[in-house]
């Protein structure tokens, strides 16, 4: 693989070691740290002087606990046998022990004495003058610190490498050094590999006691010892040490990459991966490149994790390491444990996609249809039914223009072709799915129709449950005696979203029916599908049940805002895939940055409508829905797929129950939303008499009082403060209003002259 697919900058040669201060910091940094440390001690002295009189048990516990931890750390350090580090630890612990001791003594002594203020002040002043946290850095033996160009050396033995090959290589390097005549009496110590798959290493050359490392041991001599090019060797003094120690870096792999870059040659993918990804300093240490192949339009990489490590391939950082300008061109799939596959494309593979066919949308025996294509050309399949689990719960989420409507229409057309009864409700008054209207068993348009549709579906579920119980059936079989039913609720966020103007009691009624439906729908062959522009699982009634059922079904996550993407990924994805927001246009990431530099308008690529993350069973994949061409504000291709098969129907008994329950619930819901009193239909077919959640009856509850009415009710007994009014109207409860909404209502009532403010923050009804 050449740099056409991944352009990288090879690392520079190791420069000479920088000069450091005695503390390991530059002078400016040391001054700033000392100032910050003194401010910290001053605050500690004030707390120690005032804290014992506050009587706060949490402050007492924290200060005394800090002293106990300091003593415990010193005790552990005494057993290490390292005198320099013990001295540094004691120096750093003195301020903590002094202030904690003063605090404890003041707590034990009765009354308040002058020394309880003087002792903390003296301790803080002395600590500020000494600044032990900053200056104790110089107490550690300087020979233990290598130059920054060579990185930190391990403090103990090098761990055994995978398979033993690297361990034998490390063990053989000092032997080679000792066998060479040019090395004299020096020894090679503290050897560390950068990568087990490459020979690059760093070490320290140590001369005999009282002697300096010979000047003859230059880059040329070291290169001869290990038989590497001279430019692969870098030498640097060890900071804080004398001429008896010399740091050495032997990096033939890096030198070869630099030479290839200077000559315009190609960097091999193995070397690129080892240097930028799998090395200890790479973006994914321990993720080894097991195999790869380069095709005409992509590179395919097989990656495995080292023993005892879990697979981790951060997609965006991986794109950066491989030199890919657009992270959308990098696709990652893993098993969540030890292996994964990375695909790097020249251009996005999902820009051009075909239209769906009847064969694509015909359900297979495993209950799936093809909804679109994956990035690698495989069919992206979505289950309409699980033969083992029964009916399923799906989530379809996408912002306007993301392809959500095309996705739903494609699924509904597949249900019709596959003999599945589609019950659909569109809370956007039918504008979101006009193609489905009249082409499915039932289509309800509007917020009231959505609730009534769900109520009628619950009535059918109650009927099926009653018949199944009478016959002793414990499950569902398609067509024996009923058809599979999937209920699709589009634009559900218009009903359940916290920002919409829908009464809380109406939301409770809808979420109660959702909870009821999920209790028995799976075993009765009745699935549930939610669709909206921005859905969080907490908005859908029983969040735990939704989350569990959605993992058995499918989450289609199109282009939405980043917070929704993050929420969905944390709730649903378990295989470690890095889920990032989908841009509006293909190639827009790199184009926008280039436009910002040149000042010219960036050319827009094709829109990403239909692009989505499809989450199934905790696993996540990148896909795009089959193309649909819009003509005259509709999709004739989808309409043709709808009409390629007859509309599946419920049984005559179920149809009667559904139509009657829908008419009753719709009339009541419309009256409720209009502010009229809704008549409760006792004993209706939706099962109002069964022990269901209180808000899951056949029709909405009686008309609630508005927030304006509840605010006036709260002031009926006399003046109240703002926070008391908020509590009275339910601010802070799951379905209560926001604090700002209550404040706005109070302001409007004041403008109308219905309430007054006797004093700041206090409200009362206007007299008379």
């Amino acid at each position: 693989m050449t740099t056409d697919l991944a352009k990288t900058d090879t690392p520079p040669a190791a420069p000479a070691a920088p000069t450091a201060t005695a503390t390991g910091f530059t002078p400016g940094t040391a001054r700033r740290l000392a100032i910050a440390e003194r401010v910290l001690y001053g605050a500690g002295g004030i707390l120690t002087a005032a804290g014992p009189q506050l009587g706060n048990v949490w402050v007492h516990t924290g200060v005394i606990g800090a002293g106990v931890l300091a003593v415990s750390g010193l005790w552990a350090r005494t057993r290490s046998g390292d005198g320099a580090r013990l001295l540094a630890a004691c120096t750093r612990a003195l301020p903590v022990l002094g202030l904690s001791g003063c605090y404890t003594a003041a707590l034990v002594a009765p009354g308040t004495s002058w020394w309880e203020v003087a002792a903390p002040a003296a301790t803080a002043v002395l600590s500020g003058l000494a600044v032990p946290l900053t200056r104790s850095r110089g107490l550690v033996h300087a020979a233990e610190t290598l130059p920054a160009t060579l990185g930190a050396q391990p403090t103990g033995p090098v761990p055994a490498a995978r398979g033993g090959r690297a361990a034998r290589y490390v063990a053989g390097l000092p032997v080679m050094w000792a066998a060479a005549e040019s090395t004299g009496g020096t020894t090679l110590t503290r050897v560390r590999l950068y990568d087990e798959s490459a020979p690059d290493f760093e070490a320290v050359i140590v001369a005999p006691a009282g002697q300096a490392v010979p000047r003859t041991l230059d880059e040329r001599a070291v290169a001869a010892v290990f038989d590497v090019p001279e430019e692969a060797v870098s030498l640097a003094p060890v900071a804080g040490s004398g001429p008896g120690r010399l740091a050495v870096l032997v990096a033939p792999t890096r030198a070869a990459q630099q030479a290839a870059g200077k000559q315009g040659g190609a960097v091999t993918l193995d070397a690129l991966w080892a240097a930028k990804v799998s090395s200890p300093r790479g973006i994914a240490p321990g993720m080894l490149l097991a195999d790869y192949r380069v095709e005409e339009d992509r590179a395919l990489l097989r990656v495995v994790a080292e023993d005892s490590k879990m697979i981790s391939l951060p997609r965006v950082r991986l794109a950066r390491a491989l030199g890919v300008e657009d992270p959308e061109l990098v696709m990652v799939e893993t098993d969540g444990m030890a292996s994964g596959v990375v695909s790097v494309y020249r251009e996005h593979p999902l820009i051009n996609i075909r239209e769906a066919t009847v064969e694509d949308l015909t359900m297979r025996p495993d209950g799936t249809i093809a909804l679109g294509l994956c990035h690698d050309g495989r069919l992206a399949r979505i289950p309409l039914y699980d033969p083992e689990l029964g009916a399923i719960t799906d989530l379809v989420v996408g912002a306007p223009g993301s392809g959500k409507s095309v996705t739903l229409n494609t699924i509904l057309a597949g249900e019709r072709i596959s003999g599945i009864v589609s019950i659909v409700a569109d809370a956007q008054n039918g504008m979101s799915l006009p193609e489905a209207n009249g082409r499915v068993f039932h289509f309800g348009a509007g917020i009231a129709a959505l609730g009534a549709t769900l109520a009628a579906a619950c009535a059918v579920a109650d009927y099926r449950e009653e018949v199944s119980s009478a016959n002793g059936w414990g499950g569902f079989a398609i067509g024996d005696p009923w058809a599979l039913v999937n209920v699709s609720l589009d634009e559900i966020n218009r009903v359940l979203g916290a920002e919409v103007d829908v009464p809380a009691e109406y939301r409770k009624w809808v979420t109660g029916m959702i909870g009821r439906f999920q209790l028995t729908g799976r075993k009765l062959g009745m699935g549930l599908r939610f669709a909206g522009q921005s859905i969080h699982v907490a908005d859908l009634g029983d969040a735990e049940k939704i989350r569990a059922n959605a993992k058995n079904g499918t989450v289609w996550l199109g282009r939405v805002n980043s917070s929704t993407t993050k929420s969905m990924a944390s709730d649903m994805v378990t295989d470690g895939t890095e889920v990032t927001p989908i841009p509006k246009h293909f190639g827009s990431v790199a184009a926008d940055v280039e436009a910002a530099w040149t000042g010219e308008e960036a050319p827009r690529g094709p829109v990403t409508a239909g692009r989505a993350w499809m989450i199934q069973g905790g696993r996540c994949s990148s896909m795009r829905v089959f193309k649909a061409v819009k003509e005259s504000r509709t999709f004739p291709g989808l309409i043709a797929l709808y009409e390629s098969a007859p509309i599946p129907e419920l049984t005559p008994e179920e149809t009667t129950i559904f139509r009657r329950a829908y008419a009753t619930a719709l009339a009541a819901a419309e009256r409720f939303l209009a502010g009229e009193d809704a008549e409760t239909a006792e004993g209706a077919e939706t099962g109002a008499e069964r022990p269901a959640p209180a808000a899951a009856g056949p029709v909405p509850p009686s008309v609630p009082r508005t927030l304006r009415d509840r605010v006036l009710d709260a002031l009926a007994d006399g003046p109240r403060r703002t926070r008391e009014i908020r509590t009275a109207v339910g601010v802070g409860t799951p379905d209560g209003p926001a604090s700002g909404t209550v404040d706005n209502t109070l302001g409007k009532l004041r403008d109308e002259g219905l309430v007054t403010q006797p004093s700041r923050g206090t409200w009362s009804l206007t007299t008379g």
Side-chain angles (χ1 to χ4, degrees):
M1 175 180 176
T2 67
T3 53
D4 291 336
L5 283 175
K7 299 177 181 178
T8 60
D9 296 328
T10 53
T19 303
T21 64
T23 61
F25 300 119
T26 62
T29 301
R31 283 195 299 272
R32 288 190 291 271
L33 290 178
I35 293 172
E37 189 175 344
R38 286 169 177 142
V39 172
L40 180 64
Y41 292 144
I46 295 173
L47 175 63
T48 304
Q53 282 74 42
L54 297 178
N56 190 314
V57 67
W58 294 107
V59 177
H60 300 342
T61 304
V63 176
I64 297 174
V68 173
L69 290 176
V71 173
S72 176
L74 289 177
W75 174 253
R77 183 65 71 185
T78 60
R79 308 178 68 178
S80 66
D82 191 333
R85 295 191 180 277
L86 176 59
L87 178 59
C90 291
T91 305
R92 295 166 183 166
L94 283 176
V96 178
L97 292 177
L99 293 175
S100 179
C102 293
Y103 195 101
T104 305
L107 284 178
V108 174
T112 303
S113 302
W114 64 271
W115 61 266
E116 296 182 22
V117 177
T123 303
V125 170
L126 292 176
S127 299
L129 293 175
V131 285
L133 291 180
T134 302
R135 294 178 179 171
S136 63
R137 290 289 300 271
L139 297 177
V140 182
H141 198 281
E144 298 183 3
T145 304
L146 283 178
T149 55
L150 301 184
Q153 293 290 336
T155 57
V158 176
R162 186 181 183 185
R165 296 176 57 187
R168 292 193 295 272
Y169 176 74
V170 170
L173 293 174
V175 177
M176 294 176 61
W177 184 266
E181 295 182 359
S182 60
T183 59
T186 61
T187 56
L188 191 70
T189 63
R190 304 174 67 85
V191 179
R192 185 171 74 91
L193 284 178
Y194 282 109
D195 187 356
E196 294 178 2
S197 61
D200 298 7
F201 70 92
E202 61 184 31
V204 176
I205 302 172
V206 180
Q211 299 183 23
V213 176
R215 294 182 181 274
T216 56
L217 273 178
D218 54 8
E219 288 82 0
R220 180 180 179 83
V222 174
V225 173
F226 299 109
D227 193 22
V228 297
E230 185 175 345
E231 57 269 19
V233 179
S234 300
L235 298 173
V238 177
S241 181
R245 295 174 183 268
L246 190 64
V248 59
L249 169 66
V250 180
T253 301
R254 192 186 68 177
Q257 293 174 1
Q258 290 177 335
K262 292 178 181 178
Q263 299 171 6
V267 178
T268 65
L269 184 55
D270 302 83
L272 177 66
W273 187 273
K276 294 296 186 70
V277 181
S278 63
S279 69
R281 298 181 181 179
I283 59 98
M287 303 299 111
L288 306 179
L289 184 61
D291 194 10
Y292 69 89
R293 65 175 183 268
V294 179
E295 301 173 354
E296 182 179 356
D297 57 349
R298 68 168 178 170
L300 197 63
L301 294 72
R302 182 64 181 268
V303 183
V304 297
E306 285 184 341
D307 292 346
S308 75
K309 287 190 176 182
M310 301 294 289
I311 191 74
S312 176
L313 295 170
R315 190 170 60 90
V316 177
R317 297 182 64 195
L318 192 60
R320 177 69 181 92
L322 297 178
V324 182
E325 295 181 350
D326 188 353
E328 290 291 307
L329 298 180
V330 178
M331 308 291 179
V332 177
E333 295 182 50
T334 73
D335 61 1
M337 292 184 61
S339 62
V341 174
V342 178
S343 300
V344 183
Y345 292 92
R346 294 185 184 275
E347 64 177 15
H348 205 289
L350 296 176
I351 291 180
N352 299 311
I353 192 169
R354 63 179 177 84
E355 295 186 75
T357 65
V358 173
E359 182 181 0
D360 291 325
L361 302 184
T362 302
M363 188 170 68
R364 301 195 308 183
D366 63 357
T368 65
I369 62 170
L371 182 60
L373 297 178
C374 296
H375 62 88
D376 57 1
R378 292 175 296 165
L379 290 174
R381 309 197 70 89
I382 179 175
L384 302 178
Y385 174 75
D386 192 314
E388 296 181 358
L389 299 177
I392 55 180
T393 299
D394 291 340
L395 295 176
V396 178
V397 188
S402 65
K404 173 176 64 68
S405 297
V406 171
T407 301
L408 283 174
N409 274 308
T410 304
I411 294 174
L412 294 174
E415 290 180 350
R416 177 167 169 172
I417 293 171
S418 303
I420 299 172
V421 178
S422 298
I423 296 177
V424 184
D426 179 4
Q428 198 178 4
N429 295 318
M431 293 180 61
S432 182
L433 295 171
E435 295 80 12
N437 195 356
R439 297 183 177 89
V440 294
F441 170 76
H442 168 81
F443 187 89
I447 293 176
L450 186 144
T453 299
L454 192 54
C458 286
V460 175
D462 290 343
Y463 165 76
R464 288 189 175 187
E465 184 178 11
E466 182 180 350
V467 174
S468 297
S469 178
N471 288 276
W473 299 336
F476 171 80
I478 296 180
D480 186 20
W482 306 304
L484 176 65
V485 177
N486 280 334
V487 181
S488 299
L489 306 177
D490 193 17
E491 300 294 344
I492 189 70
N493 48 291
R494 287 177 172 260
V495 179
L496 302 183
E499 70 282 357
V500 298
D501 188 19
V502 174
E505 286 76 6
Y506 192 85
R507 291 202 300 268
K508 285 184 179 179
W509 177 56
V510 172
T511 55
M513 287 189 294
I514 289 174
R516 272 189 56 193
F517 200 84
Q518 291 204 18
L519 288 174
T520 55
R522 180 178 62 83
K523 292 184 178 180
L524 300 173
M526 302 187 72
L528 193 57
R529 180 178 300 113
F530 304 101
Q533 295 182 14
S534 177
I535 298 179
H536 296 274
V537 291
D539 296 333
L540 302 178
D542 190 335
E544 291 299 327
K545 190 179 283 84
I546 289 286
R547 183 181 293 109
N549 289 337
K551 286 183 178 179
N552 293 328
T554 299
V555 176
W556 187 91
L557 184 58
R559 177 176 56 82
V560 290
N561 60 62
S562 59
S563 63
T564 301
T565 301
K566 183 177 179 180
S567 173
M568 283 291 183
S570 62
D571 282 328
M572 306 293 181
V573 179
T574 60
D575 66 349
T577 300
E578 184 180 15
V579 180
T580 55
I582 296 172
K584 187 175 182 179
H585 297 271
F586 286 103
S588 61
V589 177
D592 289 343
V593 174
E594 186 64 23
W597 171 253
T598 61
E600 300 177 356
E601 185 176 354
R604 292 295 181 187
V607 296
T608 59
R611 277 271 290 111
W613 295 101
M614 195 157 66
I615 308 170
Q616 297 175 327
R619 297 182 59 81
C620 186
S621 60
S622 177
M623 58 84 63
R624 192 178 188 189
V625 176
F626 289 122
K627 180 176 67 174
V629 180
K630 179 177 284 189
E631 298 178 8
S632 301
R633 303 180 185 179
T634 59
F635 297 98
L638 290 174
I639 293 175
L641 289 172
Y642 270 117
E643 297 177 350
S644 64
I647 298 177
E649 303 277 347
L650 295 175
T651 64
E653 296 82 3
E654 292 177 320
T655 301
T656 301
I657 292 171
F658 184 91
R659 303 299 185 200
R660 186 184 306 167
Y662 179 76
T664 302
L666 179 63
E670 289 176 342
R671 289 195 300 270
F672 174 77
L673 293 174
E676 304 173 7
D677 289 334
E679 299 175 1
T680 303
E682 298 291 343
E685 287 82 353
T686 51
E689 297 177 350
R690 59 179 288 175
V699 293
S702 60
V703 178
R705 294 182 66 78
T706 64
L707 177 60
R708 173 193 181 96
D709 297 331
R710 287 182 283 163
V711 170
L712 293 174
D713 290 344
L715 294 173
D717 297 331
R720 287 197 180 194
R721 298 189 65 80
T722 304
R723 62 174 178 271
E724 295 173 340
I725 299 173
R726 292 172 180 169
T727 302
V729 299
V731 172
T733 61
D735 293 308
S739 299
T741 305
V742 177
D743 296 343
N744 292 337
T745 302
L746 285 168
K748 292 178 181 178
L749 291 173
R750 179 189 56 198
D751 296 340
E752 296 173 12
L754 297 178
V755 300
T756 60
Q757 284 185 281
S759 61
R760 182 177 178 84
T762 303
W763 302 83
S764 67
L765 294 176
T766 302
T767 304

